[in-house]
Amino acid sequence: MKLFFNTLLFFLILFLFENSAYSLSDYQIKEICKKVSKRSTCIKKLKFKKLNLLQGNKIEIPVIPFKK
């Protein structure tokens, strides 16, 4: 019974979140790039990554280590 419930739950979650990709809006891109010195290149790069994400291509996300 537990195995059946787990597999049912797994497939339910799999089908619910299958094609959901969250990308930044244009306003959020402009807000992020306000702090950068080369604003136009920052906007172009983020819009290019947004387009790739929406098309289903893989994008590279840098990981910033947490400093205590």
Side-chain angles (χ1 to χ4, degrees):
M1 185 71 182
K2 188 174 181 180
L3 179 65
F4 174 72
F5 179 71
N6 285 341
T7 55
L8 181 67
L9 185 63
F10 172 75
F11 285 115
L12 179 68
I13 291 173
L14 182 68
F15 289 122
L16 285 178
F17 299 110
E18 180 181 356
N19 290 328
S20 61
Y22 300 106
S23 61
L24 296 173
S25 67
D26 289 335
Y27 178 75
Q28 290 172 328
I29 289 174
K30 289 177 185 175
E31 287 294 315
I32 291 171
C33 291
K34 275 185 180 179
K35 304 170 188 171
V36 180
S37 61
K38 296 181 181 180
R39 188 174 180 205
S40 62
T41 57
C42 175
I43 291 173
K44 286 179 186 177
K45 286 180 183 179
L46 286 178
K47 285 190 177 186
F48 181 72
K49 287 183 180 182
K50 175 184 174 181
L51 179 66
N52 281 340
L53 182 66
L54 291 174
Q55 288 178 349
N57 300 332
K58 293 182 181 180
I59 60 171
E60 187 175 316
I61 301 172
V63 178
I64 302 169
F66 178 73
K67 296 181 181 177
K68 290 184 180 181

